[in-house]
């Protein structure tokens, strides 16, 4: 690392990993409940488990993005972070809000709005927290010597992610309008501004890992984020097919969401092309694996599995079934999970000064987590197709269909065990690096 | 070959144009189309109270409504048509977990009033124009 304050990233990554472990634990609770083993029902009913699972996903990823930003921004702008103590305050307050929210979910304190279950009073604390984060990043950029495209794209992604949280805080009496603006947040996050963040982080990693000229990488970064917004903004329409919204969304959502994979395809081609072009290979091979992995798996999970059910004629049957869960899991993992893992893998040797490249454990972590997640996706797909066929096409009763789906949940539990083993190895490897130290500072 | 500044224009211009279109369509949906398609004139105080109960208990954490939510419990969009008010009331007011085929629902033990509000909410939802969702099973054998 080049600046002492980049060490802050480590603590956000650590929080990220703790929340991920909790998220996976709750995932298991849900999978077992679907398999018919709901022994925890009295303490953790399914709706508490799912609210926890989904919100921890959002928070561990945001914490990962924040960690990435705290590492990238000082290096790109060539200036120490303006205040390390304030960054730590931001970390602890983020963790505190998260803990209170999760406890609240178990005490029936929430809003029944998928992905945005955090109750309104806590929403305001989230806003304050994110404003503090943005202030620290912005001041560092302003005081810094350079404003690179990579850092500006990353900052814009973070800024718009914060702004787009606001439409989700407006109260509507009409369920349809409530959902309409909930998708403004959720869709425009994951298929919009989060991809800016992804593009920024990916560009940074490629610059560092492949040695390709910054100008070339940043030019393609613009093209890719351009494709993201051109397709993704109106692609929001694929959430507005069947919720009481007008028919024109069927056509608009269909056309533009069918174009959404282009951005991910662009990202995959871009990463592979830059890797091939690069003459200076960074010795951190595992970071390269994760970086190429995120570009490729996001295309499969978010792009291909997305288009598989995004056309209105298909979505009419799959809307509200496990087909959505199939796409959701590989998309989030490929686009954002693997990206954060890649960033962590690159950053750890930098901030701890321990060049533990290519340990056996990190290789197993990579392969097991990916094989496990792909197997999970397959199990969700089998469950989803079964559900669509029996419940939607044949018209069997909901409960009977759920029983017919149980074998797929057993498969899901096996697959998730492989995935969780991979993640556990990754975290053990993370811990083995030890704490960040000023001795890791590079003197040029 | 494309230059970096051209790429930047492509990104900023494309984003601005498509965001403006999106804003326009959203405005139209919100102010004209949705009130009509959802029959907002029938959205009584009881319906809104029902929505609040639905929201405060995170019913969407197990059920889907308008096809949105979790997949642990049945879709509720047409629940009134499918089950009738009596059955729904019994489920909502049950003091012990309702468990069809072993899958437990939280025992909410709602009051008569609350159950009525929720049923009003479901009735209102069931009358929306959802562009044909949920589709009728086309392979059903009787």
């Amino acid at each position: 690392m080049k600046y002492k304050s980049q060490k802050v990233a480590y603590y956000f990554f650590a929080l990220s990993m703790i929340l991920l472990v909790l998220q996976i634990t709750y995932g298991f609770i849900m999978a077992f409940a679907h398999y018919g083993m709901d022994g925890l029902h009295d303490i953790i009913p399914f709706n508490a488990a799912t609210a926890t699972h989904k919100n921890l996903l959002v928070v561990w990823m945001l914490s990962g993005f924040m960690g990435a930003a705290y590492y990238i921004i000082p290096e790109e702008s060539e200036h120490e972070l303006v205040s390390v103590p304030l960054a730590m305050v931001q970390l602890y307050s983020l963790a505190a809000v998260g803990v209170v929210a999760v406890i609240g979910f178990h005490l029936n304190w929430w809003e029944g709005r998928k992905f945005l279950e955090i109750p309104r009073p806590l929403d305001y604390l989230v806003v304050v927290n994110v404003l503090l984060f943005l202030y620290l990043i912005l001041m560092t950029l302003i005081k810094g010597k350079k404003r690179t495209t990579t850092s500006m794209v990353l900052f814009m992604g973070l800024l718009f992610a914060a702004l787009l949280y606001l439409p989700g805080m407006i109260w509507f009496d009409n369920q349809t309008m409530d959902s309409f603006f909930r998708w403004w947040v959720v869709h425009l996050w994951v298929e919009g501004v989060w991809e800016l963040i992804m593009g920024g982080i990916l560009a940074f990693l490629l610059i560092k890992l492949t040695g390709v000229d910054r100008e070339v990488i940043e030019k393609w970064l613009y093209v890719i984020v351009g494709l993201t917004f051109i397709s993704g903004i109106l692609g929001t329409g694929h959430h507005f097919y069947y919720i009481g919204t007008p028919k024109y969304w069927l056509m608009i959502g269909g056309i533009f969401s069918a174009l959404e994979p282009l951005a991910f395809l662009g990202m995959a081609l871009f990463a592979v092309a830059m890797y091939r072009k690069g003459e200076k290979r960074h010795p951190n091979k595992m970071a390269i694996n994760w970086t190429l992995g995120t570009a490729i798996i996001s295309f499969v999970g978010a792009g291909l599995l997305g288009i598989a059910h995004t056309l209105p004629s298909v979505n009419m049957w799959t809307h509200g079934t496990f087909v959505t869960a199939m796409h959701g899991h590989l998309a989030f993992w490929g686009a954002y999970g693997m990206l954060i893992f890649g960033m962590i893998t690159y950053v750890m040797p930098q901030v701890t000064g321990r060049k533990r490249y290519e340990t056996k454990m990190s290789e197993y972590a990579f392969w097991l987590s990916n094989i496990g997640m792909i197997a999970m996706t397959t199990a969700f797909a089998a469950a989803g197709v079964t559900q669509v066929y029996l419940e939607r096409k044949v018209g069997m009763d909901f409960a009977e269909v759920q029983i017919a789906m149980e074998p797929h949940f057993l498969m899901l539990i096996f697959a998730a065990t492989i995935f969780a083993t991979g993640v556990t190895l990754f975290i053990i490897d993370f811990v083995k690096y030890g704490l960040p130290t000023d001795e890791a500072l590079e003197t040029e | 070959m494309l230059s970096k500044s051209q790429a930047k224009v492509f990104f900023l211009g494309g984003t601005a144009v498509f965001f403006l279109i999106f804003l326009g369509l959203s405005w139209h949906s919100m102010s004209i189309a949705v009130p009509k398609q959802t029959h907002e004139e029938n959205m009584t105080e009881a319906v809104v109270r029902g929505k609040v109960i639905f929201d405060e208990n995170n019913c969407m954490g197990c059920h889907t409504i308008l096809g949105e939510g979790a997949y642990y419990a049945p879709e509720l969009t047409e629940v009134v048509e499918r089950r009738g008010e009596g059955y729904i009331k019994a489920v909502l007011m049950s003091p012990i977990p309702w468990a069809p085929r072993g899958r437990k629902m939280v025992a909410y033990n709602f009051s008569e009033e609350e159950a009525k509000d929720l049923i009003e909410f479901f009735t209102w939802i069931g009358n929306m124009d959802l562009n044909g969702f949920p589709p009728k099973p086309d392979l059903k054998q009787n």
Side-chain angles (χ1 to χ4, degrees), chain A residues 178-420:
Chain A
D178 196 18
S179 243
F180 193 88
F181 283 100
R182 191 168 56 83
W183 289 120
W184 266 55
V185 186
V186 179
H187 176 94
L188 290 178
W189 264 7
V190 301
E191 283 153 80
V193 295
W194 280 28
E195 284 182 55
L196 280 191
I197 300 172
M198 179 185 180
I201 296 175
L202 199 61
F204 177 80
L205 284 170
L206 288 172
I207 290 168
K208 297 291 161 186
L209 295 171
T210 67
V212 173
D213 182 44
R214 172 185 290 276
E215 286 300 302
V216 176
I217 289 184
E218 290 181 339
K219 176 175 84 182
W220 290 108
L221 176 61
Y222 273 133
V223 174
I224 287 165
V225 294
L227 284 175
T228 298
F229 278 145
I230 287 172
S231 61
I233 294 173
L234 288 176
T236 316
H238 66 197
H239 296 286
F240 301 156
Y241 293 160
Y242 306 119
I243 61 167
T245 31
K247 273 217 165 67
Y248 53 72
W249 288 114
L250 294 175
M251 197 178 75
I252 292 167
I255 292 170
F256 285 91
S257 66
L259 294 174
E260 277 183 43
L262 281 181
F264 285 106
L265 178 64
M267 214 127 24
L269 293 176
F270 163 67
V272 173
M274 292 306 128
Y275 171 71
R276 292 219 167 132
K277 194 178 158 89
E279 283 157 9
K280 192 187 80 194
R281 286 286 151 79
H282 195 280
N284 193 339
K285 194 182 140 225
M286 288 318 295
I288 295 175
N289 279 1
W290 284 108
T291 304
L292 292 179
T294 188
I296 292 165
I297 299 292
S298 64
F299 172 60
V300 178
L304 293 181
L305 294 182
I307 205 172
H309 64 132
T310 198
L311 294 179
S313 54
V314 177
N315 196 258
M316 165 75 96
W317 299 98
T318 60
H319 178 50
T321 67
F322 270 98
V323 171
T324 313
M326 158 198 84
H327 159 62
H329 280 79
L330 198 64
F332 270 112
W333 169 249
Y336 305 118
M338 291 181 75
L339 176 74
I340 292 167
F341 274 43
M343 191 65 199
I344 292 176
T345 307
Y346 172 73
V347 166
M348 289 306 281
Q350 300 285 334
V351 293
T352 62
R354 304 182 64 189
K355 302 203 173 351
R356 302 171 63 252
Y357 304 137
E358 275 189 79
T359 59
K360 267 272 162 296
M361 202 178 299
S362 65
E363 277 186 46
Y364 278 115
F366 179 82
W367 290 109
L368 288 178
S369 59
N370 277 296
I371 291 168
M373 182 50 86
I374 288 167
M376 282 169 67
T377 307
T378 314
F380 277 124
V385 171
T386 306
Q387 190 184 13
V388 168
Y389 186 76
L390 295 181
E391 194 182 324
R392 294 282 168 82
K393 300 289 273 186
V394 179
M396 258 167 76
D397 177 61
F398 177 86
E400 279 178 48
V401 177
Q402 293 290 313
I403 290 168
M405 285 159 67
E406 278 179 6
H408 304 304
F409 285 96
L410 188 60
M411 259 304 295
L412 178 67
I413 292 166
F414 280 135
T417 307
I418 300 173
F419 173 72

Side-chain angles (χ1 to χ4, degrees), chain B residues 22-85:
Chain B
F22 182 65
L23 273 182
L25 289 172
S26 290
W27 177 82
H28 177 268
S29 293
M30 186 178 167
S31 56
I32 299 168
V34 170
K36 220 185 278 172
Q37 265 184 269
T38 60
H39 305 291
E40 226 173 59
E41 68 278 6
N42 299 333
M43 212 169 72
T44 59
E45 277 174 34
V47 170
V48 176
R49 282 198 303 270
K51 177 189 157 47
V52 172
I53 299 171
F54 192 81
D55 201 57
E56 283 179 346
N57 292 289
N58 191 17
C59 303
M60 224 196 210
C62 294
H63 293 273
T64 45
I65 193 156
L66 307 177
E68 299 183 328
Y71 318 125
Y72 193 65
E75 162 63 51
L76 295 176
T77 306
E78 293 182 334
V79 68
V80 177
E81 185 191 324
R82 195 169 66 240
R83 292 291 194 187
E85 290 187 17

Side-chain angles (χ1 to χ4, degrees), chain A residues 148-186:
Chain A
T148 63
T149 300
T150 299
S151 62
M152 291 316 284
V153 167
L154 179 60
F155 176 73
M156 275 169 64
L158 295 162
L159 175 69
F160 287 123
L163 287 177
L164 278 169
Y165 193 65
L166 305 177
M169 292 172 64
I170 312 167
W171 173 264
F172 290 97
D173 286 341
N174 188 325
Q175 179 72 22
T176 297
M177 289 320 299
D178 196 18
S179 243
F180 193 88
F181 283 100
R182 191 168 56 83
W183 289 120
W184 266 55
V185 186
V186 179

